[in-house]
Amino acid sequence: MNRAATDVPVTVSPFAPFRHRMFALLWTATLISNIGTWMHDVSAAWLMTSLSPSPFVVSLVQASTTAAMALFALPAGAMADLFDRRRLLISLTAIKCVLAMTLGMLAFTGRVDAWILLAITFLLGTASAFMAPVWQSVVPSLVPRAELKPAVALNSAGLNVARAIGPTLGGLIILASGAGAAFLLNGLSELVILAAILWWSPAVVPAKRLPENFLPAIAAGVRYAMHAPALKIVLWRAVAFFVFASAFWALLPLIVRTGLKADASLYGVMVGAVGLGAVGGALLLPRIDRYAGAHRLVMLGTLGMAAVLLTLGLVPMRAAALVSCLAAGVCWIFVLSSLNVAAQNALPDWVRGRGLSIYGMVFFGAMTAGSLVWGAVATWAGLGAALVAAGVGSILALVAVHRQVLSQVPVDLSPAGHWPEPMVHASVEGDAGPVMVFVEYRIDESRAAEFAAVMSRMAGERRRDGAYQWALTRDTADPALFIEFFLVESWAEHERQHARVTKADADVQGEARAFHVGEQPPVVRHFITVSN
């Protein structure tokens, strides 16, 4: 049995990752950059309320960012796994700096309209979409595995510290100098993170013996997600939460401007209150997680967010709105941190960037769809009705997915390296294929049903690692003889499959082989297609 599945979790200090210099440096630089990003987001949303009073058009500001994150998540994940991550971060940060500066200059000269604002916001979101899986993939290389959960929580806390500071600064800067100044300061904040990345010298990773091509790499990531139960649970829970929670962010500018009849300074304070609540939630998270676990944390955060939406929709008072924003921050960090850690723990290193990008695609896709839906509902039925509908919907969605339980303890997804190299008569070209692999088992007939149950788990493992077809067959003349076969696209892909097998996969394979009663181990045969 896999030891990781039975060990009692060890409590790690929430600040332990700061002992590692590069984590602390990149965290600090990211904090400054995120303060600039939140200044941009607040300024863009507030500026849009002046350019167009329509709730639907205002909701497009958030939708333009989240749509970019959803549309480009898959290629971004493939790039994070295939290319040099430091160079990617340098290039993308420079692009964001130029875009932010351009928007600032256009705003100062009075040349920004609704469509220019949406276009540049979309481009900034696109750059962020390509950066997100790179940053997430870098985190496990900065801290030991035991400190991954607090590292993810600290990253979320840093984002929310920025959310506490950036919006308040943004609101004050809008009142003092206009939105253009906030956009320019966002551009300057990107220079800070660019300097930190240039200083960072990551360990040199040996080039992969069998590098993947771009499009097949995307297909491999999708295939892994389709056959990874733990990751699919994370994706379902993300949809159930973010489709409805998106109403909060999409409609908050209108809650302040039309519901509370206030100005940009209160909007900045309210978004800052969300960040402050999230910081408090991040500090409480390790203690609560120890007793409640990720699954209950997500349930608690979802119910709390539903209460926030209902309060904002039914009680149009400033005090109630501020308290709701604090609570929203706590709920948001509970859910987001729990889902992020669950996604990280469901992914081996070889597909981490692609898997996280699929999670990001679902997350931001749900946010985009929700923003458009709740903006349309608010236009048609009113702001209060949209918030109440979102609150009730989040409770119903929680009920619908309550059986999708997040795993509490991660399994060991490090490479097993236990498969022997396949025997070949002569060298085989990497693009030769498809390849058919046969594994012959001899099973006690009284245990055939047990064996078939274990092999159903084996099917998912084979498909996750590269097989596009799998089956278990039984000899009609010899009922004790079972043959497992699977198809892989090419010989190179099958060799990658050898490298992708994790220690958790090896445990399942060990369970299957324990049923084999022959004196010799199961026979493995490889066949390459000669002609189609």
Side-chain angles (χ1 to χ4, degrees):
M1 181 179 291
N2 189 347
R3 180 179 297 177
T6 57
D7 284 349
V8 176
V10 177
T11 301
V12 178
S13 166
F15 302 104
F18 283 136
R19 295 179 300 185
H20 307 283
R21 186 182 67 175
M22 287 314 306
F23 177 86
L25 172 66
L26 292 174
W27 186 91
T28 303
T30 304
L31 171 65
I32 295 170
S33 174
N34 284 333
I35 289 173
T37 298
W38 277 105
M39 289 170 56
H40 166 89
D41 290 348
V42 167
S43 302
W46 192 258
L47 179 59
M48 186 60 85
T49 63
S50 301
L51 298 174
S52 174
S54 166
F56 182 74
V57 175
V58 172
S59 71
L60 288 178
V61 176
Q62 175 176 278
S64 63
T65 298
T66 55
M69 301 290 281
L71 287 172
F72 299 108
L74 276 176
M79 288 177 65
D81 283 333
L82 299 181
F83 302 131
D84 183 276
R85 290 168 180 167
R86 181 173 178 269
R87 291 180 181 178
L88 281 174
L89 290 173
I90 291 171
S91 300
L92 292 167
T93 303
I95 290 171
K96 290 183 68 177
C97 178
V98 171
L99 287 169
M101 292 289 191
T102 300
L103 182 59
M105 294 305 297
L106 290 173
F108 264 123
T109 57
R111 297 180 181 179
V112 173
D113 60 20
W115 298 112
I116 290 176
L117 180 60
L118 289 174
I120 295 182
T121 299
F122 177 81
L123 292 174
L124 284 167
T126 300
S128 296
F130 281 94
M131 289 184 72
V134 183
W135 274 124
Q136 291 176 310
S137 299
V138 162
V139 173
S141 69
L142 300 176
V143 299
R145 183 177 178 84
E147 297 177 12
L148 178 59
K149 181 174 285 191
V152 171
L154 283 172
N155 279 344
S156 297
L159 178 63
N160 288 290
V161 168
R163 185 180 286 159
I165 299 171
T168 304
L169 283 177
L172 294 174
I173 290 169
I174 291 171
L175 291 176
S177 305
F183 297 145
L184 288 175
L185 287 174
N186 178 35
L188 292 176
S189 74
E190 296 295 342
L191 293 177
V192 175
I193 198 166
L194 183 60
I197 298 168
L198 290 170
W199 188 10
W200 174 41
S201 298
V204 178
V205 179
K208 294 182 180 180
R209 184 167 63 91
L210 296 166
E212 297 177 76
N213 293 322
F214 189 69
L215 293 179
I218 293 176
V222 173
R223 183 176 57 240
Y224 185 92
M226 290 174 62
H227 299 287
L231 183 60
K232 287 197 289 187
I233 289 173
V234 175
L235 300 182
W236 278 115
R237 299 309 296 255
V239 170
F241 178 77
F242 292 115
V243 164
F244 300 96
S246 63
F248 175 82
W249 293 110
L251 301 178
L252 189 59
L254 291 169
I255 293 171
V256 175
R257 185 154 203 155
T258 63
L260 302 178
K261 310 296 184 185
D263 59 19
S265 61
L266 181 62
Y267 178 50
V269 169
M270 288 182 66
V271 179
V274 178
L276 188 61
V279 172
L283 295 175
L284 292 172
L285 190 61
R287 184 180 298 274
I288 297 175
D289 179 61
R290 184 179 177 185
Y291 296 101
H295 183 69
R296 291 190 180 91
L297 273 173
V298 172
M299 292 180 63
L300 180 63
T302 302
L303 291 173
M305 201 69 190
V308 166
L309 292 167
L310 292 172
T311 301
L312 291 172
L314 298 173
V315 187
M317 298 172 58
R318 293 190 180 189
L322 282 171
V323 172
S324 295
C325 286
L326 283 168
V330 175
C331 297
W332 192 266
I333 197 67
F334 280 6
V335 175
L336 191 61
S337 181
S338 298
L339 293 179
N340 281 350
V341 170
Q344 288 273 14
N345 286 332
L347 294 164
D349 286 340
W350 73 266
V351 75
R352 187 176 301 278
R354 283 162 283 182
L356 291 172
S357 72
I358 290 170
Y359 166 67
M361 181 179 68
V362 171
F363 167 22
F364 289 109
M367 290 286 287
T368 301
S371 298
L372 296 175
V373 167
W374 303 119
V377 171
T379 302
W380 172 66
L383 188 59
L387 291 166
V388 170
V392 173
S394 65
I395 296 173
L396 296 177
L398 178 63
V399 173
V401 299
H402 77 283
R403 294 183 183 275
Q404 304 289 324
V405 180
L406 293 169
S407 176
Q408 294 294 100
V409 180
V411 297
D412 191 346
L413 298 180
S414 58
H418 75 298
W419 274 14
E421 289 293 320
M423 295 180 62
V424 295
H425 175 68
S427 62
V428 181
E429 294 294 330
D431 60 355
V435 178
M436 179 178 287
V437 182
F438 283 85
V439 186
E440 299 178 7
Y441 303 87
R442 187 159 291 277
I443 307 299
D444 185 333
E445 292 185 52
S446 65
R447 305 190 67 193
E450 297 175 65
F451 175 69
V454 172
M455 293 301 290
S456 68
R457 292 158 56 201
M458 181 82 84
E461 181 265 312
R462 302 293 198 205
R463 289 190 169 104
R464 284 195 301 273
D465 291 344
Y468 65 84
Q469 185 175 338
W470 179 94
L472 179 66
T473 63
R474 190 175 191 177
D475 192 333
T476 57
D478 183 1
L481 179 61
F482 286 76
I483 296 179
E484 172 199 13
F485 79 87
F486 53 92
L487 293 171
V488 185
E489 189 64 37
S490 67
W491 186 252
E493 184 68 4
H494 179 56
E495 290 187 304
R496 294 188 194 102
Q497 192 177 25
H498 278 242
R500 292 168 179 169
V501 177
T502 68
K503 291 181 179 178
D505 296 334
D507 288 347
V508 177
Q509 294 174 14
E511 288 183 55
R513 295 196 174 202
F515 286 91
H516 181 69
V517 296
E519 294 183 2
Q520 299 297 322
V523 176
V524 181
R525 304 181 190 277
H526 299 79
F527 298 86
I528 294 181
T529 302
V530 176
S531 61
N532 292 319

